[in-house]
Amino acid sequence: MSTPDFDVVVVGSGFGAAIAAWRLATQGRSVLILERGRRYAPGEFPRDPRDTARIFWDGEHPESSAGLYEVRFHSGIATTVASGVGGGSLIYANNLVRPDAEVFAQWPRPFSAQMLEPLFGRIEEVLTPSPVPDLYRLPKRTMFRDAASALGRPVFDTRQAVSWMTPTNPGQGHCVLCAECEFGCNHGAKNTVDFTFLREAMAAGAKLWTSCLVSHVLPCASLAYGRPASYTVQYRDLGTGREARVTGRRVVLAAGTLGTAEILLRSRESGALPALSGRLGHGFSGNGDFLATLQGSRVALDPWYGPDVTSVMKFSGGGPLFTLAAPSFNQATMNYLASLGQGREHHASWLSNLAWPHLGAALRMTFAAGLVGKPLALAMPGAGPADRMSCLFALGRDNANGRLVLKQGRLDIEWNYAEENRGLIDAMRAAMRQVGDFYGATMAPLATWDLFEKTMTVHPLGGCAMANSSAEGVVDTSGQVFGYPGLHVSDASVIPSSIGFHPVLTISAVALKFADDMVKMAL
């Protein structure tokens, strides 16, 4: 059987991939989408803590454990990303936020807040975001708004890509206010890309192959003037274990910051793409993500009632720019978090014998138990009632100085994060303590910060930054890889700085600009 041939092969199926596939397929291009994970219909997201193979993606053994979440503990920072048709849209908190103009001040031209404005609007036309309706009386939202007022900080309710009362798209349901947004919505209330951009792409003829783990991209025979006629994408079929290849006249890498960088690093190391920019892997950002808990609020918050996040505070002017939200989760998870206790002593009691690189198993076990609220033997009492508990989540302008590298064939992130971003972290922790004081609660950072001064990001950015030249970045301002016409990147890896706001709308707008440019390019 001959290898299929497509105009465009898209690697990944998250926001960047789906937008590229949608624009190109609806313009008559033959498009193939390769996704390493599986499809999830409403009701199919994992909740059984014993079924870890469906909850977690194991990079060492994806054939047997190809779940929804991939958690990695790198040298400099930990990361959590999604795997499945729809990518990060499956587990993000639904928030579509337009960042302040200053975020784009150092981006390559033509990018600016003004230039991105119409692109933001086009994304919103598809994802139809709106705030949580005011008719829902949410104690956690009221308390957070009151805290912002007391601190003199601007606060806004986030617009969320959610069907609150009436399903937006066929096959969807509506929000039941169960605070399971980041676990995969089993009610189909989230306007994820599988219900929107991907569905439209497939209606226009795009093909989707799941369980395809891409490892390399290789140029095929060149045409005149040195332009490759096409590219070969090498992947492993996780269902059969077989290695396979497919060709595309253009290839769009959109496997997420970690996935795309890993494919390009491996392709350069193998000699397939030797001319990739020396900036490949540089400029990684965790978007300043910093997580803590509030325990023992003076009033009941009912944290499991509503979406995960309702509102965002802004901190700027004279100090580091960052934003702050108060995510919370379903009742089972909040009960479990409360059972773990609070503060440095409790954290140390169950983590003190574990080294940073080996925390993955403990975290997977802890997270899985939290889905159904079953405390483990390593749980400690002391956090107080679960209905008086919340998380705090800050997103800030870190220095984006991380570096993605391959070490013995495995992706790592080198970064002295704590020392290089001390001012930002201190400012975020001070703000969290102020919010905690208003709540009458105790604030405790993520345990890994207390023990190791290491944090975790759920918003990895950069590593394949867009720029005006290969000396400054990996792709141009249309997303095309320097030195390799027809090879493109369209995901969070192209973002050239930290954002400090929820990043999905920005990533999507950039991907839409790239897709528009690709439509204009000859095959």
Side-chain angles (χ1 to χ4, degrees):
M1 180 177 178
S2 61
T3 302
D5 189 24
F6 295 83
D7 291 334
V8 185
V9 176
V10 179
V11 180
S13 65
F15 287 99
I19 290 166
W22 167 67
R23 282 291 284 129
L24 293 162
T26 55
Q27 293 298 309
R29 312 290 169 81
S30 61
V31 176
L32 171 67
I33 304 160
L34 296 175
E35 165 57 45
R36 68 177 183 170
R38 53 159 289 186
R39 280 181 178 269
Y40 292 94
E44 293 183 347
F45 290 100
R47 292 295 187 269
D48 185 345
R50 297 164 296 184
D51 195 359
T52 56
R54 291 189 67 236
I55 297 173
F56 294 105
W57 177 277
D58 183 345
E60 297 294 310
H61 307 286
E63 292 87 355
S64 58
S65 184
L68 182 60
Y69 299 91
E70 182 177 24
V71 181
R72 300 194 201 185
F73 286 82
H74 310 275
S75 297
I77 192 171
T79 57
T80 298
V81 298
S83 177
V85 176
S89 76
L90 301 176
I91 65 168
Y92 86 125
N94 318 313
N95 298 289
L96 299 183
V97 177
R98 299 188 182 198
D100 290 349
E102 65 188 274
V103 169
F104 309 108
Q106 303 303 316
W107 283 33
R109 293 295 175 256
F111 287 94
S112 67
Q114 183 178 10
M115 174 265 194
L116 287 166
E117 199 69 19
L119 295 165
F120 291 151
R122 289 170 61 193
I123 297 297
E124 291 164 345
E125 286 177 7
V126 177
L127 298 180
T128 61
S130 60
V132 186
D134 281 334
L135 63 87
Y136 296 136
R137 302 301 178 188
L138 307 180
K140 64 182 180 181
R141 174 172 61 180
T142 300
M143 192 66 167
F144 191 72
R145 287 171 170 175
D146 289 347
S149 178
L151 297 176
R153 295 293 179 181
V155 65
F156 60 92
D157 287 357
T158 60
R159 291 176 303 152
Q160 302 190 33
V162 170
S163 299
W164 296 115
M165 300 174 193
T166 304
T168 305
N169 301 292
Q172 283 189 266
H174 64 84
C175 182
V176 299
L177 305 173
C178 65
E180 294 184 357
C181 310
E182 296 177 49
F183 297 161
C185 182
N186 272 330
H187 304 280
K190 297 175 64 168
N191 300 336
T192 49
V193 299
D194 51 322
F195 282 121
T196 54
F197 293 109
L198 279 180
R199 174 177 283 173
E200 292 297 318
M202 294 174 71
K207 307 296 183 185
L208 171 67
W209 296 353
T210 59
S211 300
C212 295
L213 180 61
V214 172
S215 59
H216 295 79
V217 176
L218 308 89
C220 297
S222 296
L223 294 173
Y225 309 111
R227 185 189 186 283
S230 59
Y231 289 88
T232 294
V233 178
Q234 185 170 311
Y235 67 94
R236 184 161 85 253
D237 184 324
L238 297 179
T240 65
R242 294 178 180 174
E243 296 289 331
R245 293 184 172 193
V246 63
T247 60
R249 293 180 178 86
R250 292 189 182 273
V251 167
V252 180
L253 294 178
T257 291
L258 304 183
T260 292
E262 190 166 6
I263 292 166
L264 288 176
L265 286 165
R266 193 179 294 114
S267 298
R268 184 173 68 183
E269 187 176 84
S270 71
L273 299 174
L276 288 171
S277 167
R279 295 297 300 170
L280 176 61
H282 291 264
F284 175 86
S285 167
N287 204 36
D289 288 1
F290 195 88
L291 182 66
T293 58
L294 289 182
Q295 303 141 350
S297 169
R298 56 187 164 84
V299 300
L301 301 171
D302 295 346
W304 42 77
Y305 179 57
D308 292 357
V309 172
T310 67
S311 314
V312 169
M313 280 188 221
K314 286 172 56 176
F315 293 78
S316 59
L321 184 152
F322 63 94
T323 54
L324 184 65
S328 55
F329 311 106
N330 64 10
Q331 188 164 6
T333 301
M334 297 309 293
N335 285 338
Y336 179 74
L337 289 174
S339 78
L340 289 178
Q342 61 181 318
R344 183 182 294 271
E345 312 90 47
H346 293 302
H347 293 157
S349 69
W350 66 276
L351 286 175
S352 58
N353 294 321
L354 295 171
W356 168 256
H358 304 295
L359 282 175
L363 186 67
R364 286 194 293 270
M365 183 168 56
T366 302
F367 181 89
L371 288 175
V372 293
K374 292 186 177 181
L376 306 175
L378 45 74
M380 291 289 169
D387 69 341
R388 294 173 182 261
M389 184 177 184
S390 179
C391 297
L392 288 177
F393 186 51
L395 306 91
R397 301 297 309 283
D398 67 40
N399 70 343
N401 197 38
R403 187 182 176 199
L404 295 155
V405 297
L406 284 181
K407 292 182 178 178
Q408 297 179 331
R410 298 183 63 182
L411 190 71
D412 193 20
I413 301 171
E414 297 177 338
W415 196 3
N416 189 354
Y417 184 87
E419 290 305 314
E420 294 180 20
N421 296 280
R422 183 70 61 183
L424 172 64
I425 296 162
D426 287 348
M428 292 192 296
R429 293 183 69 184
M432 289 175 168
R433 284 192 294 269
Q434 290 176 335
V435 172
D437 289 344
F438 179 83
Y439 278 59
T442 301
M443 188 277 286
L446 183 69
T448 59
W449 182 260
D450 271 355
L451 289 168
F452 307 110
E453 286 203 328
K454 297 287 182 74
T455 188
M456 173 177 285
T457 180
V458 295
H459 300 128
L461 308 170
C464 301
M466 60 178 171
N468 292 315
S469 73
S470 61
E472 301 169 300
V474 178
V475 303
D476 64 20
T477 54
S478 293
Q480 192 160 223
V481 175
F482 288 116
Y484 292 96
L487 179 59
H488 304 257
V489 177
S490 179
D491 58 24
S493 69
V494 307
I495 301 300
S497 71
S498 57
I499 294 174
F501 291 79
H502 289 83
V504 162
L505 185 57
T506 300
I507 296 164
S508 299
V510 171
L512 181 54
K513 193 269 185 191
F514 287 178
D516 286 345
D517 290 348
M518 272 188 277
V519 166
K520 300 171 186 175
M521 297 177 185
L523 288 173

